[in-house]
Amino acid sequence: MAVAAPPPAAVDPSAFADLVNQLWLREQQKTTRELRVRFGDGAWPATGARLLRHDDGSFGIEVSVGRHSQPGDIDALYRTLLDRGLPVASVTVARDV
């Protein structure tokens, strides 16, 4: 699924969390276990994300970043997602090659 470039997580983790929340809630109605999102190579810092639903209902997020991007404050993003009430088990970073 392709979506518009999100706000930079390093600048506004709450806006990125809102985007993830909207995507997940929409897909959750379809009983999706995995969702991959591409923001495009020009997006900063995240070029994409992978959301994976675990058996306990929580989900993990893998944020893809470009070769020349820094991932930003992943801990802030994780805390913001938890503050939104999302059952996030983990947030990790993967390099987009």
Side-chain angles (χ1 to χ4, degrees):
M1 158 186 316
V3 296
V11 174
D12 190 357
S14 63
F16 190 86
D18 286 342
L19 175 66
V20 168
N21 187 29
Q22 290 170 13
L23 291 170
W24 189 252
L25 290 175
R26 185 181 71 199
E27 292 302 312
Q28 193 173 16
Q29 296 171 357
K30 302 176 186 174
T31 65
T32 300
R33 302 242 349 139
E34 180 176 346
L35 173 64
R36 291 178 186 260
V37 182
R38 296 287 305 157
F39 302 126
D41 294 335
W44 183 93
T47 56
R50 178 177 172 247
L51 287 70
L52 180 65
R53 184 190 340 236
H54 301 295
D55 290 336
D56 66 0
S58 67
F59 64 97
I61 301 174
E62 181 181 88
V63 178
S64 301
V65 295
R67 291 185 297 259
H68 306 293
S69 298
Q70 295 301 316
D73 189 350
I74 295 301
D75 289 333
L77 177 58
Y78 176 71
R79 287 189 305 274
T80 302
L81 290 163
L82 291 177
D83 289 347
R84 293 278 188 276
L86 296 172
V88 178
S90 64
V91 177
T92 59
V93 175
R95 288 285 173 194
D96 206 7
V97 291

